[in-house]
Amino acid sequence: MTREHSERLNGLDHLRALAIVLVLLFHYRAFKHPEWVDTIGRFGWTGVDLFFVLSGFLISGQLFQEMNSKGTISLKTFYIKRFFRIIPAYLFTLFLYFTIPFFREREALPPVWKFITFTQNYGLDVIDQGTFSHAWSLCIEEQFYLILPLFLVMIVPSRLFKYFAVLIILFITFSLIMRLIIWNEAIAGIDNTSVEFWRSWYMKIYYPTHTRLDGLGTGVLISYCMQYFSGFKKRVHENGNKILLAGLILQGISFWICNEQASKGASVFGFTLVAISYGCIVLSAVSESSFLSKWKSDITAELAALSYAVYLSHKGIIHMIQALFEQFNIDASNTGCLIICLLGCIAGGLGYRLIIEKPFAHIKDNILKLRKF
C-alpha cells in the first residue's frame, strides 16, 4: 500500500487510486450501505491483489536498480526507508484501535502482539476477532519487505539469479498448490452456507502468506523481466494499449471464475488469474505507449499518495461517521452518507500525512543523510 517518491509514473498512480477505491467499496458493504454498493463493490477484494502486484513490482524494481548501479543492496538503507514509511502510521492506527473503543468497527481485537509482530494474518478468526482485520495484507507486505532483499543478497552472487524468473514462477505455483491441498483437506467437507465454512476459508486460504504469493510474485516477475530482458521491455513500451486490453480480457475471465469468491475454482485458480490480469495492467501502466502512462490526473495522484493512510484508517472512520448518523437518527444507508464517509476517509488520510507521514519522512531523510557521512 505504500508509495515511493523516487519516480513518478502516472499510470501507477491511476492503479493505486483504483486499488484503494476498490477496497473502500468492498469494505463499505460491511456497514450500512445503498444496494448498488453490493453490485459494484463485490469484486473490490481484488483491490488488495492489485496493491500486492504494485508492491512487488515497485519494491523489487528499486532493489534490481540498486543492484545494477551499485552491485549490491544496502539492507540498512532499505529497511530504514521501509520502517519510516510503514511503521509510524501503522502504530498510530494500532494506538487508536486499542485505546479508543469508539474507533473500532467491531468489538473484539486479536492480541496486540500479533499486530506488532506482523503475524496477525495467521490464525485470524475474522468472525470473532475481525476488528482491524484488514491489517492482514500489511502483515504479508511486511514479511515480503523483510525476506525479498535478504533473498536477493543470497542468490545474486550465485548462478541461481539467472533462474530468478523460474524461482518466482515456482513460488506462485506453490501458492496455487497449497490452496488446492488445503481446499481438499480442510474446506471441501464443510457446509458452504455455514459460519464455520467462512471462518475456515478466510483463516486457511484467504489470509495466510503462503497461500497469497500470487500478487507479489507476479509484481516481482514482471519487474525482473522489465529490468533484465530488453526484448520484453521493448515490446511492453511498444504495445501498452494492447497489453491493457489483454489484461482487461483476462480480468473479465478471472472475475467470472471468482463470481463465487469462496468456490473451489476461485480459491485455487482465481487468485493467480486475478494477479496475472493485474500484472498485465501494471505493465500497460508503465508502458510509454499506453494512454494510462500519458494521462496525468491530480485526483488519482492525490488518492495514490493517501492510499496507505486511507487503507489503515478507513474502517474506523466509516464506523464513527455512521455511528454519529445513527445518534442523530439520520439514515446511514443512503448514498449521501457513503459520500460523507468517503470524504471522511480522505480527510483522515490528510490528517495522517500532516501529523505522521511528513514529520517521520523528515526524520528518515535526516538519518539517511547522516549515514552518508
Side-chain angles (χ1 to χ4, degrees):
M1 306 337 145
T2 61
R3 181 173 187 273
E4 295 297 331
H5 301 283
S6 56
E7 185 177 4
R8 187 63 172 271
L9 295 170
N10 294 325
L12 297 186
D13 278 345
H14 304 326
L15 296 187
R16 207 177 281 107
L18 172 63
I20 193 61
V21 170
L22 285 170
V23 169
L24 285 171
L25 288 175
F26 183 72
H27 287 163
Y28 200 81
R29 296 159 72 246
F31 301 89
K32 291 186 176 180
H33 60 273
E35 290 184 5
W36 60 265
V37 172
D38 285 322
T39 302
I40 295 179
R42 64 190 303 257
F43 289 108
W45 59 270
T46 67
V48 170
D49 296 81
L50 177 52
F51 273 129
F52 283 156
V53 176
L54 287 166
S55 291
F57 180 81
L58 288 167
I59 296 301
S60 64
Q62 292 164 17
L63 293 171
F64 293 146
Q65 289 172 12
E66 185 178 359
M67 284 163 43
N68 291 338
S69 62
K70 300 180 180 178
T72 186
I73 295 171
S74 172
L75 294 176
K76 285 185 179 179
T77 299
F78 177 82
Y79 290 132
I80 287 171
K81 287 181 177 180
R82 290 293 90 204
F83 179 90
F84 282 99
R85 180 68 184 99
I86 302 293
I87 302 302
Y90 178 70
L91 290 181
F92 178 71
T93 308
L94 275 184
F95 172 79
L96 294 178
Y97 269 109
F98 278 89
T99 61
I100 304 176
F102 185 50
F103 188 77
R104 301 172 193 164
E105 71 273 8
R106 292 177 63 180
E107 297 80 16
L109 277 160
V112 67
W113 68 265
K114 300 206 78 171
F115 289 105
I116 293 175
T117 58
F118 290 100
T119 56
Q120 174 236 12
N121 64 312
Y122 278 95
L124 174 54
D125 182 354
V126 72
I127 304 299
D128 295 325
Q129 292 184 322
T131 307
F132 200 20
S133 60
H134 54 291
W136 71 272
S137 63
L138 301 178
C139 295
I140 292 178
E141 292 213 14
E142 281 300 294
Q143 294 160 23
F144 169 71
Y145 298 148
L146 175 65
I147 293 171
L148 179 65
L150 294 174
F151 182 63
L152 287 174
V153 166
M154 285 193 303
I155 71 165
V156 166
S158 71
R159 295 181 180 179
L160 273 177
F161 191 63
K162 293 181 180 180
Y163 306 99
F164 186 76
V166 176
L167 291 174
I168 296 302
I169 292 171
L170 288 175
F171 280 124
I172 295 172
T173 305
F174 168 78
S175 262
L176 189 153
I177 293 171
M178 286 303 300
R179 291 196 299 270
L180 176 60
I181 293 171
I182 292 168
W183 176 275
N184 288 334
E185 294 188 355
I187 307 296
I190 306 175
D191 178 8
N192 63 6
T193 62
S194 67
V195 171
E196 188 56 37
F197 172 86
W198 286 101
R199 189 198 317 273
S200 298
W201 184 82
Y202 274 111
M203 188 181 296
K204 296 177 181 179
I205 287 184
Y206 192 74
Y207 291 142
T209 306
H210 61 280
T211 59
R212 296 306 308 270
L213 298 174
D214 312 71
L216 289 165
T218 298
V220 173
L221 180 62
I222 61 177
S223 177
Y224 178 82
C225 292
M226 287 290 286
Q227 190 72 37
Y228 294 101
F229 296 102
S230 57
F232 179 88
K233 183 176 182 179
K234 182 174 181 290
R235 290 184 179 87
V236 168
H237 284 308
E238 290 175 348
N239 300 283
N241 291 324
K242 292 179 182 178
I243 295 171
L244 175 61
L245 179 60
L248 292 174
I249 291 171
L250 184 57
Q251 188 175 67
I253 295 170
S254 66
F255 280 13
W256 176 72
I257 292 173
C258 294
N259 187 50
E260 295 293 335
Q261 186 189 3
S263 67
K264 182 176 182 178
S267 300
V268 176
F269 302 104
F271 296 142
T272 305
L273 290 175
V274 166
I276 294 171
S277 69
Y278 277 135
C280 292
I281 294 171
V282 168
L283 283 175
S284 172
V286 298
S287 170
E288 294 172 353
S289 62
S290 170
F291 85 92
L292 283 175
S293 65
K294 295 176 181 178
W295 169 41
K296 184 178 180 180
S297 168
D298 292 336
I299 294 175
T300 57
E302 189 63 22
L303 276 175
L306 296 174
S307 61
Y308 177 56
V310 170
Y311 186 85
L312 285 172
S313 60
H314 70 280
K315 282 187 179 178
I317 290 173
I318 292 170
H319 166 72
M320 291 191 296
I321 291 174
Q322 290 208 354
L324 291 173
F325 266 58
E326 292 177 1
Q327 189 173 343
F328 290 97
N329 296 318
I330 302 173
D331 182 17
S333 63
N334 56 40
T335 302
C337 180
L338 181 147
I339 292 171
I340 292 172
C341 286
L342 295 184
L343 291 174
C345 291
I346 292 171
L350 291 169
Y352 268 68
R353 175 191 288 174
L354 180 65
I355 298 170
I356 302 166
E357 292 181 339
K358 282 191 174 181
F360 279 97
H362 183 66
I363 295 172
K364 176 201 70 177
D365 291 341
N366 288 337
I367 290 174
L368 293 176
K369 286 177 183 177
L370 288 173
R371 290 195 72 245
K372 292 180 181 180
F373 295 99

